[in-house]
Amino acid sequence: MTTGATSVVIWKDGRFLTPEEPALAAVDHGVTVGDGLFETCAVYDGQAFALSRHLRRLARSAAGLGLEPPAESLVRDGVGQVLERAGESAGRLRITVTAGPAPLGSMRGDGPLSVIVAAGPVGPAAVTNRVVRLPWVRNERSAVAGLKTTSYAENVVGYAYATERGADEGLLANTVGALCEGTASNVFVEVGGELLTPHLSTGPLAGITRELLLEWGAQEGLPVREARPDELPFAVLDDVATGRVGLALAGSIRNVVPVVSLDGQDCAPGPLSLAAQELFTRRAKEQIDH
């Protein structure tokens, strides 16, 4: 399928789609109420990065939504077919699962899930990012807190707010004033000689890049860890411009990137953020399919 200059290969429920074919019914619950989940993987040399970890999280998100996850063999088959057809152009892979056709409203239907796999190019990786603080909060007590769902309107609004202010990402507090996450990234704060990421109980997504950086940091002596639930208040960002605190973002496409601007004010990348970026870049290809 071609949209402008971007070529995307799309597979749904066992077959490829042409550009004219709709991927979902108008009454699919993923369309009417955002009842679905997804995973995004980087693609290196024609293979999905950390695919098994992404599929485990997909299953956890399905369980959190009360859905039976799709058969892993079906998803892997779709991934393999899409990446083979996409060839060297693929830099990003997305797996989307919805609850399938249903009556209008919140009630689910009893039909099968819809499973879509798509792959396409991705732009050059950013070396650094600029961020702004968002005026909204993440609800860490939400029924879908920590799940990667297609109910993504909050993230879209937050990202638009950030880009309108010349930033690459927006950062969110939770309802009790703790640092939570970005609209599409996990956050790492360099403070007191350690690189800390918010505790999962504060509401962030359990990111795959976050998970790997914590593992690899422990293996290689980088002082990176999950913070205690009360250890990273949102106000810690006030110290960024002074240089007392450094920031980095982590995500499946951006990987690990130091932050060089907060709310339009320049800040220097910290040494641990730079070390984390180097570590992740060096070890990433070890996780092509793990």
Side-chain angles (χ1 to χ4, degrees), residues 142-174:
S142 164
V144 296
L147 306 182
K148 198 165 180 68
T149 75
T150 57
S151 301
Y152 225 59
E154 285 187 348
N155 302 65
V156 171
V157 171
Y159 182 72
Y161 179 97
T163 57
E164 287 165 3
R165 287 154 181 80
D168 307 295
E169 177 63 298
L171 303 184
L172 291 152
N174 69 6

Side-chain angles (χ1 to χ4, degrees), residues 45 58 67 105 110-111 131 138 144 146 163 184 218 224 237 247 252 287:
D45 300 325
L58 185 79
L67 296 172
D110 56 5
V131 302
R138 183 74 84 211
V144 296
T163 57
V224 56
L237 299 179
L247 290 177
S252 291
Q287 290 293 315

Side-chain angles (χ1 to χ4, degrees), residues 93-155:
L93 175 86
R94 175 171 165 132
I95 303 163
T96 305
V97 179
T98 77
L104 297 178
S106 297
M107 181 182 297
R108 285 179 175 148
D110 56 5
L113 303 177
S114 298
V115 180
I116 301 169
V117 180
V122 66
V127 178
T128 58
N129 275 176
R130 299 159 296 172
V131 302
V132 295
R133 282 175 277 199
L134 298 180
W136 307 286
V137 299
R138 183 74 84 211
N139 182 4
E140 75 281 5
R141 294 173 292 176
S142 164
V144 296
L147 306 182
K148 198 165 180 68
T149 75
T150 57
S151 301
Y152 225 59
E154 285 187 348
N155 302 65

Side-chain angles (χ1 to χ4, degrees), residues 189-235:
V189 181
E190 187 172 338
V191 58
E194 295 182 293
L195 196 59
L196 308 181
T197 191
H199 196 276
L200 291 181
S201 67
T202 64
L205 180 73
I208 302 302
T209 305
R210 174 188 186 275
E211 178 182 292
L212 287 168
L213 185 57
L214 289 170
E215 290 180 16
W216 292 344
Q219 293 168 8
E220 299 207 8
L222 182 72
V224 56
R225 64 176 173 86
E226 183 179 65
R228 297 185 299 275
D230 61 349
E231 196 171 5
L232 287 178
F234 200 59

